[in-house]
Structure formats: C-alpha cells, structure tokens
Amino acid sequence: MSEQLLEIEDLEVSFATEDGVLRAVSGVSFTVSRGETVAIVGESGSGKSVTVMTLMGLTRSPNARFAGTARLNGVDLISASEDKLEAIRGKEIAMIFQDPISALSPVHRVGAQIAEQIRAHEKISKAAALDRAIELMGRVGIPNARARARSYPHEFSGGMRQRVMIAMALSLSPSVLIADEPTTALDVTIQAQILDEIRQLTAESDTGVIFVTHDLGVVADIADRVLVMYAGRLVEQGTVDEIFYDPQHPYTWGLLGSVPRVDLEPPRRLPAIPGAPPSLVRPPEGCPFQPRCPHAFDRCRELPPLAPRLPDAGHLDRCWLTPDDKRVLRETGGRIGLTEGAAS
Amino acid sequence: MALDSPEGGAAGIIVSAAPSDLSPEGRQPAAIGPWQLALRRLRRNYVTLFFLALLVILVLMCLLAPVYSAHIAGVGPNTNNITGTVSVNGTQQNIVSLSGVPIGPTWGAHYLLGADTNGRDLAVRLLYGGRTSLLIGAVATAVIMILGTLVGLLAGYFRGVVDFILRPLMELIWSFPVVILGVALGTALALGGIGPVKGNSLFIPAFIIGVVYVPYLGKPIRGEVLRLREQDFIDAARVQGMGPWRIMFSEILPNVSTTIIVFLPLILANSILLEAYLSFLGAGVQAPNASWGTLISDGLTYIQTTPTYSLIPGAMLVLTVLSVNVVGDGVRDALDPRAQVRVRN
Amino acid sequence: MKRYVRPLGVSLLCGAVVTVAACSSSTTSSGSSPASSSGSSSGSSSSAQAGGTITIDSGTPPLSADQALDFTTQGNELYSVVNTPLLTFQRGVQGVAGAKIIPGLAKALPTVSNGGKTYTFFLRPGLHYSNGTAIKASDETYALERDIKIPWQAASFVSAYIAGGTAYAGGKAKTISGITTDDATGKIVVNLAAPFAPIEDIFALAGTAPVPPSTPMKNQANTGTVGDGPYMWSSITPNQKYTLVQNPKFDVPGIPKGHAATIVYQVNANVTANAEQVLQNQADVFDPGDTIPASLLQQVQTTAKDRYAAIPTNSSYYWWFNVNQKPFNNIYAREAVLAALDDRALSRLDSGFLQPDCHLIPPGIAGGSTGATCPYHNANAAPNMTEAKTLMQKSGMIGQPVTVYGEERTPRRQWLDYYTSVLNSIGFKATEKVVNSSVYFTTIGAPSLKPQTGFGDWVQDFPNPWDFMQLFAGNAGSSLNYGYVNDAHYNTTLNTLFQQQPDQVVSQWTALDQYAVSKGYYAAYGHEEFPKFYSDRLNFTTGVMSTEYQTDLTSLELK
Amino acid sequence: MTGFITRRLASAVLLLFATSVVVFGIFEVIPSYNPARAIAGRAATAATVAEISQKFGFDKPVWIQYGNTMKLIFTGQIIDYQDNLNVVSQFVHRFSVTLSLVVPAAIIWMAVAILLGSISALRAGGWLDRGLMVAAITGVSIPVFLLAAALLYLFAFRLPWFPNTGYTPFGTDPAQWAYHLVLPWLSIAVLSIGFYSRVLRSNALDVINQDFVRTARAKGLTERQVFTRHVLRNALMPIVTLFGLDFATLLGGAALVTETVFNLPGIGQYEATAIGQLDVPPIMVGAMFTAFFVVLFSALSDVVYALLDPRIRITG
C-alpha cells in the first residue's frame, strides 16, 4: 500500500439551525493514498459533499461545529488557521465542483481565472502565469487555448468549462484532488471524456483523488476504493470489486439494485429504495437505515459499528446481519437489490 | 403486514412496515402555511414588535389630539393668544414677548412645549399636525395602492396598447423630479383648488403624493404580472372561460398580494416624508392648518433660541417614519422565502 | 410704491436658519477684510475716514438694477445715487417729516402754467454722464419712453398722467406727445392730460432720470444704466451682489458726493445671518427693508444699543373689505371687525416694530393722526369684543364663510393667521389663503378673483397724503383698490384736496381719513418702523435713514 | 451600440417633450395665474397689463404660447417673469454651484457606503452589521431638510465649527469653498449612506453564496482578495444603476432643498424661488434639465453596467 496521503479520523460536522443541531457528518474515518482514487457514494443529503467541503475548509461558518482530524502532509485541515488553509488550498489540495456553469466567475476571462490561482501561490508575473494557464488549457484538451483564454465562461460549453476547472485545479499539481460530482451536470458523452481527462492527468502526477458521486456507473469506471455514506455515516467501505460483487450493507444493495442493467430485460418499474432519508436533526436510534431496511430486526435498534466482518480486513460494513444472511437476502430477481416484495 | 423472514437465521421478526411511526423523533415537523410561518417569525422578531408598539403609541397620541386640547391644554390648534399670559411656576409670563419672541416649553399643562409666534399651543399643534401628516400619508398610500395596483395589473396583463400608454407614463412620472412636480402642483392648486376641492383642503397634498408615487408600486407590480401571466395557471383559468377581469382580480391579484404588502409600509413611510417636504417648501398643508413639515419649517427661525419648536416635530416625524420602515422590514423578512434564518446560538 | 420686499427662495428662507454666535468667517466674501475700526471709540468721529468700502447685507435683492424697471425700496437705495432725476428729494434729512424737493439735473423747480397742466424745466448747462457723454434734454423723453416700454413697475405714473402716455403705451404713437424738448437750450416741456400736483414728486423718482440714448430699450439687470450721480455701477451679479464706486465726474450742485469709495450691496436670504454679521461688525449696514428676527432683537437692543434705532416711516398696514360682496357689503360687519381687531397683537407679531393706529395716513405726513381717535377702542388698548358681538348681531352675517388673502412672508403670514382667528372669534367661518409674496398683489389685483378680504400695505412714494388716500379712490382700479370701494363723498373730496399743497388742507385730509374709518372701508392697524442698524465702523450719527431713500448711501462714512 | 443610442435618444426627446407639456399644463390650469400681471407689477393699469400680454404673447392660444416658450428655451433667450433674467444663462451660471454640492456629496456617500457595506457583509451578524441596519433604516426615515437644520443647529450654532450659510466660489478660495460645503455635503450623503450600504450588503451576501466565490476560496485566494475581486465586483453592479437614477433625481430633489436651507445659489435655489412665485420659465427649464439628467444617467448606467458585466451585450 503506497504511504497515506490523507488520513481522516472520526470527522464530525454539525450545524446549529432553528430547529436544533443538524449532525451532517458523524464519525467518518478513511484514508487516501498517493495515486489512489477513492469514490464516496450516497444519496443527496448523506453528508458526502459536506465531508469533502470540510476538508477544504469551505464549510466554516459561525454556526458550524467540527471535530476529528484530517491530516494532509502533516497538517490537520480541520483545525488549521484560515491563512494556513489559504496557503494549502489550490496548492496541496484542489477541488472541482459540480456545476461548471456557476463555478466560474462570470465577469473574468477564463485564462485570467486560471492564472489567478497560480499567482495566488507563486510569485510570477501576470504574463508568465497566463502562459502557464494557456499551456494547462491545452493539456486538458481545450482547442486553440491561446485565443480561448481571452473569452468569458458563458462563451464555453458545459464540458469545456469543466475542462477549465480541471486545468485550474491541477495548475499547481496538488497532492489531493477532490471532484464533487464533476460530471453530474454534463451529458453522458462529455462525461466519459471528462473522466478520462481526470484519470489520465491524476495518473501522470500520482495525485490522490476523492471522487464524490451518486452515479455507480462512474464509480465502476474510475474508482479504486468505494465508501458508501448514509445519513452522515459511513455504512460500507471496500474495494470496487468487493462493493460491486460482495456488498454487505442493505443500503449498498439498494443502490446497486436501482441501477438499470443492460444485460437483463428491463423490470416493470425501476426499483427504488422506499421512504426518504431520515432527519439529521433528530436521527432515529440505532442503525440510520433501519426505517427503510426490509431486513431490519430488533438488534438494529442498537447502532452497529463499522467493522470488518469478512476475511479481507479492508472491507468494512455497519450491519448486524451475518455475512451468510447478507449473501442470501441481497439476491432478488436474479440480481443484487433490496428485496422488492417485502418492502411494499 | 407481517414480514416472514427468509430461511432460518435470526428468529422471525415482526416489524410494522410503516417507518414513520417507528420512533417519535423520526417524524417530520408538521407543514405550516406561509402566513403562519410569517407570523411565527414576526412574533420572534423583537425589534419589529418594539417599533410596532411605538408606531401604535404615536398614532394613538395623534388621534387623542382633541382630548388633549380640550381637557389639558384648553386651547384649540388655531386659537391665537398673542397678548395673553401663562403662569410658569408661579409667575405670569407673556405668551409672546413684546418683541414677538414666543415662550419656550413650560413643561406644564398649558403651553407644554411652548407657543408659536401667534401664541398658539405648540403641543396641541404638534398632535393635530401629526393627525394631518398621518391622514395625508394614509390617504396618499390608499390612492397609490389602488392606482398603482390597477395600473400595474392593466399594463402587465393587457400589454399591447394599454402597456404602450401606461408604461411610458409611469416612466415619465418616475423620472420627473418628484419635489418640483409636487411643489409646483401644490402651489398651483393651493391657489385655485380643483373643482369642488377648496385650495387648502388636505386632499390636495394627498392627491399629489398619490399621483407622484404611483410608479413606485405600478412598476414592480407590472413586472410581477408580466411574469405571472406566462404561467400555466393563468392559461388554465382562461381555458375555463374566465374573463380577463376575473382572471386579473381572482387569479393574479392574490399572487401579487405579497408584493403589495411588502411595498405598503415603504409607500406609507415615503408618503409621510414627501408630505413633510411639500409642507416644508410651503406647497403642502396650507395655513392655518399645521403638519409636522410646516411646524419644522416655522420653527427654523427660532432654532437658535427655542430649538424644540422645530426638533420635537422633527423627532415625531422621524420616529413615525422609522417605525413604519422597521415594521415594513420585519414584514418583508417574515414573508420573504429566502429569509436569512437568524440563528441564536 | 409699496415696500416690495421679494424673498429670495421660498417662505422658509426669510428665517432660513441659524445665526452663528461667533461668526467665524463672513458668509459670502465681503470684499476687503472687515477689520474693526482701529481704537477710536464709537461715537467720537475724530477724523472721518474718506474712502474705504462699506458693505450692506440685504435679505432680498432689488427686482433689477435698472431704474426703468425696478420700483423696490432696495433698488431705490442703490440707483438713486446713480441716476439723478430732473428734481430730487433733499439728501441728509432724517425722520418722517421727509425731505423737500430740490432741483436735480434741472436748474430750478419747474414753472407751472396752463392751469397746472404744463410744467417747464431747464437742464443745468454742461452736465455729463459718468461715462463722459453730455446730457441732452431729449434724453429725458427717451428715459420716459423706456419707463413705458420695459415696463417700469410704476409706469402708470408716466402713462396715466402725461398727455399721449397711454397712446404711446398702446403702441399707437411713436413718442409721448406730451413731452417736447430743445437740446440747444436744455428746455423740457411736460404737458399733463389733467392737472396733477404730485407730478413734481414723480419727476423726483430715479425712474424718470435721463439716460444716454445708447442705453438699450431692454432691462439692464446685469449692468445697470449710466447716470449723473455721486456713484456709478462697478459690477453686478443679479440677485447676489451689487457694487457701486464713486463717480469722479459727478457735477450736480446741491447733492452730496458721498464718503465711501466703494459700496457693496450683498444679498443673503438668511436675514438672521445678516443681522448677526452686522452685530459682529462683519458687515456695515443691515438693510432696513428686512425685519430683524425676534430671536436676535434683544441681543441687538442690548449689546449694540448705540448703533441701532427703530426709525418710524410713512408706511401703513391695513385689511381691506370687498364692499360689493357678502359679508362685507354690510357696514356693521365691517365695523365689527374694526372693533375686534387688537392692534397690539399685530405689533408683537412684527417684533414691536409697528405703531398701532387705525388711520391710513401715517402720522409723519400732513393729515395723519394718532390711534386715540379710533372708533370703538384706542388702537393702543384692548379691542372692544362686546361691541363687536353686538355689531355682528346687527349685521346678520354670523356664520358667513369668508376667504382671507395674505402674503406668506414673515410677519405677514402670522398677521394673516391672527386676523383669520379674529374673524372666526366674532362669528364668521373664515379660511386663509396664503399667497407667495412676490405674486400676492398681482394675484389679488386680478379682476376675476373678487376676494372678500385680505392684507394690504403701502409705503410712501412721496410725502403727500394723496399717495395713501388714492388707494381707495373709485377710479383706482382693482390693482390698488382691492375692495372696489366707490364712495361718492370720498371721491369728490379726494379730487378737490389733491389739487392743493398738502400743508394747506391738513384738517380736510384727517377728516377724510376718519370718514373712511367710520365707514369701515379699511381696518388699518399701524405704521411700521424700519431698523437703522450699523456696524461700529460707521459713524452712526451722520448716517441718515430717510423715508425717501431708506439708507442714504451718500451719508455713510467710516469713523 | 447605435441601436441602443438611438433608442435612448428617442426616449429622451419624448421625455423632455412630455415634461415640458406637463409643467406648462399645470400652470395653464390655475384659474388666477396671470404672468402679464406679474410682470406689470403692482400698480399696473389694465392698459399696461394688456400691452404686456400682447408683447409676450400671453393672449395667443395655449399651444402657440407653448411653441414660443420652447423656441425661446432652445435658442437660449427665455427670460423669467419675475426678475427678467435670462433663464438659460442663470442655469449655466449656477450649475457650477449645484455640481460642487452634489458631486462631492455623491463621492462621499458611495465611498462610505461601499466601505460600510463590505465590512457588514464580511462580518454578517456582527454589531457593526446591526448598527448599520439601524443607520440605514433611520437614514431613509429622515427628511433632508430636517437633517440639514439639525446639522446647522449643532455644528454652526452650538459648536461654531462651520459657517452658518452662504457659498464661496471654488475659484476665489478653495478652502472657504469646502469649508462652506461640508454641512450640505453631509446632509445629502448621510441619508443615502445607510440605504446604499444595506443594498450593497444584501447584494454581497447573495454573491457570497454563489459557486464561483467558493471556487475562488478553493483556489487559495485570501479572504480580502476573494471579497474585493469577486464579491464586490459583482455586488456593485446593481448599485451602478441605482446610483445613476438617484444621482439624477438628486438634482431635482435633495439638492433643491439643501440649497434652500444652506442658501447656496445653485439651480435648486433658483427653481425653488421660481416655484414659490409661479414663475413658469425657470420651472420648465429646471424640470426639463432634471429630466434630461435622469435619462442621461439611466443610459450611462446601462452602458457602465454592460462594461462591468460581459454577459450583457448592448444589442443593436
């Protein structure tokens, strides 16, 4: 295992709101090593975006509370001071956002925006920074970059804008790149190009990547390891193959089950996980997935720990069912999914 | 609905499937309509409540003017008493000195805030003046509410020729220097009056302010109506055979009501202010009636010797307009869906 | 000529705001720095300094610097020392007795012939204007034509009384036929349409002073005109600043040359600030056309008592009644108002500058009388409310609506408020109509308006009782006789008296005044005093505040 | 761009025409308004009045009178009825005074508003933020003339720091010029500072939540850089249009009152006098002058807005 780039220990993030304290992330721990791509999946509201945003220090506000640590090259990002973080952001850890349309400043030229990131960390002239920006734009596949650098974001297509974001993020070859659903807003064909772009650039510089998404297709395509989050907690963690072929947590089954399969004839109604994510202000006792889990039983009133329950220590899950029960219960209609009948 | 657990394993588990009533805390808060939400927020907003109370007090004081003048001060707002005297802690003093300087505040029942040049009781004139200012402000606001909404609705809904006439008209009034228009109209009408309305009736300033501020409400409402007009529920109403008037008043109007309510306090505050401007420049309330604007203007001559003559009506004016503005703010924040959730941590 | 004081800016201006206790720097730059006079104590005028600059602070500017348009007291103060007319009022005469008429540019007083219809003047030989051109007799004709064309605010004095005046005014004649001149001999013959004794006073008004023929037939507000007077115009910024300098070529005997080298007439609408300036010796003269604000008066009367005085003037203030309309077509209704009016209250509203009196002719003029002989109550005593109530009963006009007209300028608006409350207290339903001062008289003068009652004032044009009593003559027209009074006895008496020299018919004028008061044609309430208020740089005793010129500029001299 | 200009020009001409008609109409309606009598003066006989109305053309039908007046205005020969002064030259002569009042006042008002607005946006919820909220609301609740009177009372009388009223031209003595104008500047600026800082604050708060600001911070820019380069630039754009309109209406409103109270011989005072005396020519020229500025400034602010925001192209 290459040495750990980023270690996150018991990350807690909660916000004080009018209705009470909202616990967005409770006790999340994971690591990212050099050259490795870790995917975080889960429904919206599961805390995945909050987790990565907290790493970048972008969730700090008067009514936010943090706990736990996130060490990157020896620095704890959670407790770091604002100016310390400013030196790290964009240089050692960079981020690409979901909606390229609104993520770029509408009133600045594209080239200048990239150059701005470079000059924020290196003392070089505007012209030199612009040249590097243009060179970067070329590398991420933007045609005649020198001319296009002078135009504004609204003159670019969604895909092109995401390429600018990538160029910007990787301009100082950071050790960790966070991609927060970068392809969700794009159509499928562009999505594939962007994923290739990211994979190829991060492979070259051995960057550790955290890829947040709710699209399992993307996970399969790009991720080495997968973390499944639900209601602010990690419910399952393992390699791509373990998660896709030997999922342990019913919520993971549900996710896998709701992906339409090309190889099977289409079901009458797309399977979906019943119910809605629980309130994070007054979370239910025990296992958070319990209210929606068809296999819930009395033991689930007590929160199961995230622990390895299989021979491979890397594969952790948070469910009391025995591995054997799990293998039986996840089979439904010839594929892995949440048992259809029982839940209705 | 029992759940028969599959083969062996853990003992058969009977679980009621409906997740919601599994644990009380898990339930979502009961949904409440926008108005109750607004009211709840308003009750929480102590600043707004304070100024609301202040506004009520100020209005009450002005409404009680006749009571004060009859029972306490004993003189009407216009009773001249130039050669009379008043007892100030024992000694009889001229209300207006031989050289025409009116007496300062006696802080007693008579001439509490002193007299003006004509020996009239300033406290009584202050309250009657308040009544005038508030009356003109209210009437003007009513005029604006009706005219503004109507113009906004017509221009927004009918578009075409109607809009072609109304919009530039609003543009014209909007870009016209309000004070000049108001003062010119005021001076002109004070002389001749319009038809049955006599020169110094209070309706003239109210009417002027009403006309001058119509675009203040007309333009935003026209914008809203233009937007609403495109929405499906209007087409649905039209399909049901509703005539344009019914659509406007039963369909569109309720939807712009929040805008109207949000603008109401703003317009009331500005109407009172504009009345003060007009009266200050001698084109609003005509003698011998008083309004806060005229009192401030008259008091300027004596600001050196008796500053209270000008500054107390000034304070009343500012407090009233301030209260209306703060309450307006509170209402807008309560109604505004993107309200900043004020967190008390 | 009414005391036509035009407020600069709106009503609030006249008390615009605030005085500055220790006035740091002068408001509008007042020329040379007003260093207070060196050492010499006030009063002792050891060596009167010749030359120097004297500044006058005024609350309202004249209508124009051109004497052929302006007819205000402010304007007259200035151009009377620039444009000397054929005749002129003697300079240096203080007090209401007023000055005699002496020859100006004319060699002597005019010879009267043809039954008082022809007046013949002879120009003094060799006179020159301040720009050096010689003065010719025909210049007088040109000047009078200018009066009619521009028009002069008192143009009717020329067009109504000089033969051919109305024809010229109506554009039917090229020149005024009544005037013939001979430049060689300097002879000027003026023929009147009818005998009119006060014509001599009119030829002593600066408006009738000859001007060079090159003077345009248009109002010269920015430059003023050229004349032959002790001073001439140096620079003018209309409505803001007027500067006069001594005229080196002044050559008219009998008229003083003046002491100050430069006179600066500065306009600052904030009358309180002006009074403060003079109090602090930042400016030299407080223009008598303004009223010292009540709030400052005590301070002036105490700290500056040796350089301040209230000078009585020949001016009258009255309420007129429209005798053709209800309720004041009824004599008892009019008399009730006279009985209920408290002149002392009106005086206090004018900071005590008003001498209560119910007669129209001021005491300073032949035929004037005091407040003692007023019907129902002495003008200086409390009103007779019981008599007023009984008169109202007899008139049957209780509850009648009355609209009262008045000016918006202080103290006139306060007078209006008071007068309306008196009308209400005796049973009328009175409402006020406040009109801007500069358009007040033209508004109530409009024949179409037919107002019921309102405010009126008149300042003496020349010391002749006719100047006041003409206001209520049947033929005075609605622009002067607002109440349309047309009393046969009054008209005939007026026509006989104005033919004769005033000092021979004093008792008849007093009787006519008393007759009009007994008929209630007007409710006069007093005569005003003007403030004579100088800085301690000026010699207060030699400075003259005259009824004709107000501040006599030729009399001002530095200590 | 030319399309934009012609459209704006057309609306300007239309507006000026409409303004002049409205003002002319107002004074035609008044029953007892008679300019001839005003010129003829008090002791005028019917003959002189008739002669004057004939000479000035008051006896002609309304629309001919209107035509003459407009011709006189645009040839610069129009004179006012009260003082017989050339109105156009009065405006030109007095405009420098009004400019020296409104321009510095606007600069003060915008500078302070941007400063306060930014600080309160950065420290949302802090004491300054609440203090500003109160200042903003109070600011819009005080009429200019009351503030002017209070300032004069406090700083010209109680503490004689400033002169009472009056004006010294910049040419003669810049120190005196500024010294006399401090209080008038404050009277105009203070009331708008509150409002503008609040508008800036709410704009800034909207922008702060935008994605590109988050990107800017993710790029490692310091808080100050993020604020000035990204937040402020976007937050200021709507203020540009607001300022354009307010500045123009200032000429017709607050300047008029401030000049009256402080006795500054600007066009506001000239208009106020004219209105008091029902003197139509200066009122017409004044109203058109102000309306012209409103149109000019609204066009200017649109152009500036387009420069600031590349997304908006001035469509032809």
Side-chain angles (χ1 to χ4, degrees), chain A residues 133-145:
Chain A
I134 291 166
E135 185 261 334
L136 274 163
M137 285 170 71
R139 271 181 52 210
V140 291
I142 297 177
N144 57 60

Side-chain angles (χ1 to χ4, degrees), chain C residues 348-485:
Chain C
R348 278 193 204 181
L349 290 178
D350 191 18
S351 319
F353 275 92
L354 192 77
Q355 260 49 48
D357 176 18
C358 65
H359 299 97
L360 195 59
I361 304 177
I365 291 184
S369 45
T370 65
T373 57
C374 292
Y376 307 112
H377 67 90
N378 178 327
N380 282 299
N384 188 337
M385 294 309 281
T386 42
E387 186 58 30
K389 289 265 181 343
T390 44
L391 282 167
M392 279 300 284
Q393 291 299 348
K394 272 165 69 177
S395 75
M397 289 292 175
I398 293 181
Q400 279 296 325
V402 174
T403 311
V404 192
Y405 283 78
E407 281 191 48
E408 122 280 335
R409 202 158 46 77
T410 304
R412 288 156 170 71
R413 193 162 68 81
Q414 284 74 11
W415 282 337
L416 177 65
D417 285 354
Y418 169 68
Y419 179 58
T420 314
S421 76
V422 167
L423 292 182
N424 283 324
S425 67
I426 57 174
F428 288 112
K429 290 239 172 332
T431 52
E432 301 183 11
K433 186 142 287 183
V434 181
V435 179
N436 181 282
S437 294
S438 43
V439 288
Y440 173 70
F441 288 110
T442 53
T443 310
I444 59 171
S448 57
L449 198 61
K450 293 188 179 52
Q452 290 165 303
T453 179
F455 165 77
D457 71 351
W458 193 256
V459 175
Q460 157 207 312
D461 295 328
F462 30 79
N464 185 323
W466 174 83
D467 189 24
F468 288 87
M469 299 311 279
Q470 50 128 354
L471 296 174
F472 288 87
N475 56 14
S478 68
S479 65
L480 286 178
N481 184 349
Y482 311 107
Y484 301 92
V485 170

Side-chain angles (χ1 to χ4, degrees), chain C residues 2 4 6 9-10 12-13 17-20 24-28 63 69 149-151 153 156 169 219 221 237-240 268-270 273 318 436 438-439 441-442 445-447 457-458 479 482, chain D residues 32 37-45 48 51-52 55 82-85 90 93-94 149 152-153 156-157 160 162-168 176 179-180 260-261 263 265 269 272-273 276-278:
Chain C
K2 68 177 176 30
Y4 172 71
R6 206 173 43 73
V10 284
L12 83 142
L13 265 188
V17 187
V18 162
T19 63
V20 174
S24 43
S25 79
S26 70
T27 53
T28 33
L63 197 53
L69 180 131
K149 270 290 169 250
I150 289 188
Q153 289 274 315
S156 56
N219 166 32
T237 324
N239 294 347
Q240 281 166 42
N268 173 3
N270 180 349
Y318 56 91
N436 181 282
S438 43
V439 288
F441 288 110
T442 53
D457 71 351
W458 193 256
S479 65
Y482 311 107
Chain D
S32 64
R37 297 197 67 80
I39 299 171
R42 175 171 180 177
T45 60
T48 32
E51 195 255 327
I52 290 168
K55 176 176 153 197
Q82 215 51 54
D83 309 335
N84 290 273
L85 295 171
Q90 279 292 318
H93 170 65
R94 287 166 173 269
L152 257 177
Y153 172 66
F157 172 62
F162 292 106
N164 171 358
T165 55
Y167 173 74
T168 316
Q176 281 298 330
Y179 185 47
H180 281 89
T260 318
V261 173
N263 185 32
Q269 188 183 56
T273 326
Q277 297 158 351
L278 301 181

